[in-house]
Amino acid sequence: MPAVSGLVARRRFEAIAQPSVITISPEEIRAAPTLLEPDVIRAVQLLPGTVARNDYSIGYNVRGGETDQNLVTLDGIPVFNPSHLAGLFSTFDADAVDHADFLTGGFPAGYSGRLSSVLDITVKDGDTTKLRGDGAVSLLSSKLLLQGPLPGGGSLLGSLRRTYLDAVVSTFTSEVLPYYFTDALAKLHQPLGAGAHRSLDITGYWGKDALDMELVSATATRSAVRLLFDWGNRVLGATYRDTIAGVPLMLRGGVSEFSSTLGLLPSLAQFDNRALLRTAALSFTPPTWSDNTLELGGSVESYAMDYGIRSLALQTTLLDMHYRPTDWAAYVDDQWAPASWLRLRPGLRGRLLACMPSATATPRC
C-alpha cells in the first residue's frame, strides 16, 4: 500500500533528513483492507517493516521490536492503550484523522519513551466556512461527526461513536449483550491575532469499553455475582504556537490516563489498574546560518501508576503498589545541508529520571 504519492515523498526527502517515515492519508486508511470499518492502525499493519502479531489484534511489531515499544500519540499526547474490543479495533475514528506519521527508525531527538516505532496521529481541523455533519453506520458501530466555524477564523470538530449491537439485541429479543464500547473525540483550532503564526489547538478524547455479565443470579439468601471488566482512555492536550522575534515557538501540555477494572462483584475480588501521565513540552527554532535548521527543546513527564487487588469478602488487600516516576528531558535536533547532495541530522537527548513522593503510599521507581 503506497503511503503517500511519489511527489510528496520526494519533496519531503529533499527538504528534511528523516529516513523511515511514512505519512498515511485518510484516503489510504479507507482503502486499506480492514475488518468491519476503516482503522488507522490496521492500515499501519500493512506497511513495510511492520508485522501484525496475529489476524485479530491491532498489535504490531516493527523490525523485531515488541508491541509495548511502539509509541502512539494523538496530537502529540501519548495514548496508553489505543484499542477497543480486546484489541480488535483502534480507538481512533478514521473520519476525524487528518493524517498519521509512522516512523520506524531514526527518530528525531524530540521523541522519547519507545524503542521500536512512533505513530503520530493528527486530528484534522474543523470546517471554517460552514456547519456540517456526517453520520455513518458500519457493521461495528454508528457514529456522528460535526464540525463548523468559530469566531476569529477558528473551527471546532467533534466525533461520537458507539457500538449498537447491544441495543439491537435488547430491542428485538429478551437477551442481553453485556458488552459495548463508546468514544468521543474533539478538537478546537483557534488562530490568535492577525496572521497564521499564532494559534491554539485543544484536543480531547474519551473512550470506554464495558463488559458487565451476571454470572450468578440473586436469590433471597445471596446477592448476584457479576463479572465486570471495563477499561478506557482519557486524553486532553493543548498546543500553542507562536513566532517571537522571528523565532518559532511551540508550547504543549497534556494529560493522558488509562484505567481498567476487573472484578467479581460486589465483594469477591477486584483488580484495579491506573496509569496517569502529565506532560509539558517546549521547543523553539533559533536563527542559524544558511542551510541549517536547529531545534532546541525540553519536556517533563510525570507518571502516576497504581495497581491494586482487594477482596471485601475476605477483608484483605492482596496488592497495593504505587509508582511515581518523573522524566525530565532536554534535546538538540539539527538539520544541516553542507552540500546539495548531502544532508545531516545529528541530535542529542539527555534524560533525568526522578522519583517523586506520594501522598497516599510509598512510591516505587
Side-chain angles (χ1 to χ4, degrees):
M1 182 189 68
V4 290
S5 69
L7 179 60
V8 173
R10 183 65 188 181
R11 287 175 177 173
R12 179 171 55 198
F13 176 78
E14 294 174 349
I16 63 174
Q18 177 56 62
S20 303
V21 57
I22 301 173
T23 298
I24 310 172
S25 68
E27 293 77 17
E28 289 161 340
I29 295 173
R30 288 189 285 268
T34 187
L35 180 65
L36 300 184
E37 71 175 37
D39 192 309
V40 59
I41 297 185
R42 290 285 182 182
V44 166
Q45 289 180 329
L46 303 175
L47 297 176
T50 306
V51 178
R53 299 196 64 177
N54 52 58
D55 293 335
Y56 312 104
S57 170
I58 63 169
Y60 56 92
N61 298 345
V62 179
R63 296 179 177 174
E66 291 296 329
T67 299
D68 60 359
Q69 294 174 344
N70 301 319
L71 174 64
V72 179
T73 64
L74 184 68
D75 278 353
I77 307 300
V79 181
F80 287 108
N81 184 16
S83 68
H84 284 309
L85 199 57
L88 280 178
F89 307 97
S90 73
T91 57
F92 309 112
D93 181 3
D95 294 333
V97 173
D98 181 78
H99 67 276
D101 291 328
F102 186 53
L103 293 81
T104 60
F107 311 143
Y111 289 103
S112 71
R114 300 297 189 277
L115 299 175
S116 198
S117 73
V118 175
L119 178 59
D120 190 359
I121 299 173
T122 301
V123 181
K124 67 181 181 182
D125 298 338
D127 195 321
T128 58
T129 59
K130 63 179 179 180
L131 178 65
R132 62 188 182 91
D134 300 281
V137 177
S138 69
L139 295 176
L140 174 66
S141 66
S142 55
K143 54 187 177 181
L144 176 66
L145 188 145
L146 297 174
Q147 54 184 317
L150 293 175
S155 64
L156 181 65
L157 178 143
S159 170
L160 180 64
R161 181 173 62 160
R162 191 189 190 280
T163 52
Y164 58 85
L165 190 56
D166 59 329
V168 172
V169 170
S170 300
T171 300
F172 294 101
T173 72
S174 59
E175 302 296 326
V176 175
L177 183 66
Y179 171 81
Y180 74 91
F181 79 74
T182 183
D183 56 42
L185 178 65
K187 181 175 183 178
L188 180 149
H189 173 72
Q190 184 64 57
L192 303 175
H197 63 276
R198 183 186 302 172
S199 65
L200 175 66
D201 292 316
I202 299 177
T203 303
Y205 170 84
W206 173 85
K208 180 181 180 181
D209 289 63
L211 173 66
D212 192 347
M213 179 187 303
E214 187 176 78
L215 299 179
V216 179
S217 301
T219 66
T221 58
R222 72 183 180 199
S223 301
V225 177
R226 295 166 33 238
L227 172 64
L228 175 67
F229 185 24
D230 64 51
W231 68 95
N233 287 284
R234 288 154 291 278
V235 177
L236 179 63
T239 302
Y240 172 76
R241 294 181 174 87
D242 200 351
T243 300
I244 301 176
V247 177
L249 172 72
M250 188 275 291
L251 292 170
R252 174 175 289 143
V255 178
S256 180
E257 181 184 27
F258 171 78
S259 62
S260 67
T261 298
L262 173 63
L264 294 174
L265 304 183
S267 61
L268 293 180
Q270 182 171 329
F271 169 72
D272 294 299
N273 174 22
R274 175 175 175 264
L276 175 67
L277 168 64
R278 300 181 181 92
T279 179
L282 163 70
S283 66
F284 61 97
T285 305
T288 57
W289 62 91
S290 178
D291 298 325
N292 183 271
T293 302
L294 181 66
E295 180 179 317
L296 306 176
S299 65
V300 56
E301 298 178 343
S302 177
Y303 292 86
M305 295 175 283
D306 304 297
Y307 307 90
I309 303 177
R310 66 182 187 273
S311 172
L312 295 179
L314 300 177
Q315 297 184 350
T316 184
T317 297
L318 302 177
L319 179 67
D320 185 22
M321 301 178 67
H322 307 271
Y323 295 84
R324 299 291 185 269
T326 299
D327 187 357
W328 301 83
Y331 69 89
V332 178
D333 185 11
D334 186 35
Q335 293 201 66
W336 180 33
S340 60
W341 51 270
L342 178 62
R343 289 188 177 275
L344 302 176
R345 190 169 189 176
L348 179 65
R349 185 180 184 89
R351 298 176 61 193
L352 174 64
L353 184 65
C355 190
M356 302 301 291
S358 171
T360 58
T362 302
R364 301 166 182 253
C365 289

